[in-house]
Amino acid sequence: MKLYTADKARITGGFWGEKQALLQKVTAKSIYDRFAETGRFNALICRKEEGMPQPHIFWDSDTAKWIEGTACLLMREKSPELEALCDGLIETIAANQMEDGYFNSYYQAIEIENRFTQYINHELYCLGHMIEAAVAYDQATGKKQLLEVCEKYIALVDRVFRVEHSAAFDTPGHEEIELALFKLYQHTGDEKYMTLMRYFVDTRGTSPRDITYEALGRSDYSQTHKPVREQDTVEGHCVRALYLYSAMADQAAHDQDEALANACRKLYRNCVDKRMYITGAVGSTYLGESFTVDYDLGNHEAYAETCASLALALFCRRMLQLDVKGEYMDTAELALYNGALSGMSLSGDAFFYENPLSYSPTRASIANRYTKARAHSAIGQRVKVFECSCCPPNVLRVYGAIQEFVFGEGEDDLYVHMMADAYAHTKYGILQQRTDYPRQGETTIYPPEGTYTLHIRVPAWAEEPVLCVNGLRHDFTIQDGYIHLTGEWDADATVELRFSMPVRFIYANPRVSADAGKVCVARGPVIYCLEGADNGDNLSDIRLRTDGSARVVTDGKFGLPIITLPGSRSVPGDYPLYAVSPVPRSAVDLIFIPFYAWANRGENEMDVWVRTET
Ligand SMILES: [Zn+2]
């Protein structure tokens, strides 16, 4: 099964259509302006001039991700203004590429003599993102200038790393280029990119020259602790790890490498069964932005970087190409609707780097007052740009290309993996889907004419699914999360899938101490939270009744309904610090909003996990 690249499918409306329109109207230009103000684009001239800030080692990746995301939006709708901005950046990059192919605005301006000597720096990571941008820009516009820059640079990297071993290290300190090389191989059909990708993947964990951050004292920080086929638990820096696992899954599927595929399956299992938050976020600590140990999933101290959730979705997408199982897309949706989407404001121009599952302004102020002594705390309001601003352009490029998750095709098969108002150009013709999911649990699919098996994913949480083919009820079974319909499809065939999406309560494994005695509220793929703006402060005092009836209320503010549920809280009063009897409680209606929508009404408390009444 192959998924379609961004240029072969389109989002045409619905929830994701609204988000892509926002990205195109607001987000792209807003990020561009912030990057211009902070000097990222001026830095592309690769020399230090009076008044210019010192470029950062990963600035080129910010620029590249912005170009990639904008390219994806240009596939959706032409914009001469955005295209001209991309052209300008690419022109500057091409004009400042070194004779031998090297390009890095930091090293060229500051310490060119040290290029390819510092494992911890991001040279190859920046090139990886430039490659992805180049492929997307070619797909969007047919312009190949950035592709030519990358191909020249890759030739240098191939010689220095794979042929001569003349760099001071052997694999990228921050993975990314591996999956980018695979993308370039798919785009060009040129085997040499696959060869270099395999070299980087297979060499990881085998070279004593790849010493990772000594300060952290852990070689698993950048997944160099074992050869990749022996890795079975997700370790180290989450974004690094998940980009590596994504590349491993690409390589395993392409080469039909069972040992590598099994490593991917084990890594996926460990991540999702033991180290992932209910929001599809990962990274339990800010120390090294890392995974920690099984079941260590504290809520307010969650690091949960936006990029890490996006990377998890990208890994799931590739796992689906290894094994067509609905659970991979269930997990991808969890990340895409929750842990990653909370990274962007409803206005589309402000961002979170961290997405904790609990927030208190008081706790944050204490953490910030005693930074060295107390636990780290995330910020409580999104900002327009970060010093390390990887997340905003990552939101732009992943949601700008979210159509890549929706459809797929095999030898005699078409797949609908994700419910979204969208279509794809398949080998049989246009495969279209009309839906208002996840507002409602129903979709209509218009399969193209032909003889093939149509596979339709049914989310694991979907209740009472009903299928109609050409308007008539149709019996079905669900295997590995999919309905399989084999037949001859007429040009006017329709397939309707409906299921109910009741409000669900989710309980954590008893080993997750942070969630003991608590529940989380969900509807469809969307995780909900309590916010101070609706429920007052001191949210930790609130108790939720799981035997009460939920009301799902349409609300224009957040894009999806809000949910009300009965609960209780302490009767207001002036109580002693300690007492021998409990404080009296009174019944209250609790208002839950989609987790991604929190912190859009000023700084206040937020909790995903809520104590239950009993
Ligand atoms: Zn990030």
Side-chain angles (χ1 to χ4, degrees), residues 370-388:
Y370 301 107
T371 300
K372 293 207 166 52
R374 296 294 295 260
H376 168 85
S377 176
I379 56 172
Q381 288 288 277
R382 295 174 185 84
V383 297
K384 307 233 167 184
V385 69
F386 304 94
E387 192 186 336
C388 172

Side-chain angles (χ1 to χ4, degrees), residues 60-81:
D60 294 346
S61 68
D62 292 345
T63 300
K65 277 189 283 186
W66 184 84
I67 295 172
E68 185 191 349
T70 303
C72 294
L73 296 171
L74 293 177
M75 295 173 199
R76 177 181 174 274
E77 193 182 323
K78 293 258 172 254
S79 162
E81 186 203 1

Side-chain angles (χ1 to χ4, degrees), residues 449-462:
E449 196 174 351
T451 305
Y452 54 86
T453 302
L454 181 64
H455 308 262
I456 306 165
R457 169 174 151 259
V458 182
W461 43 257

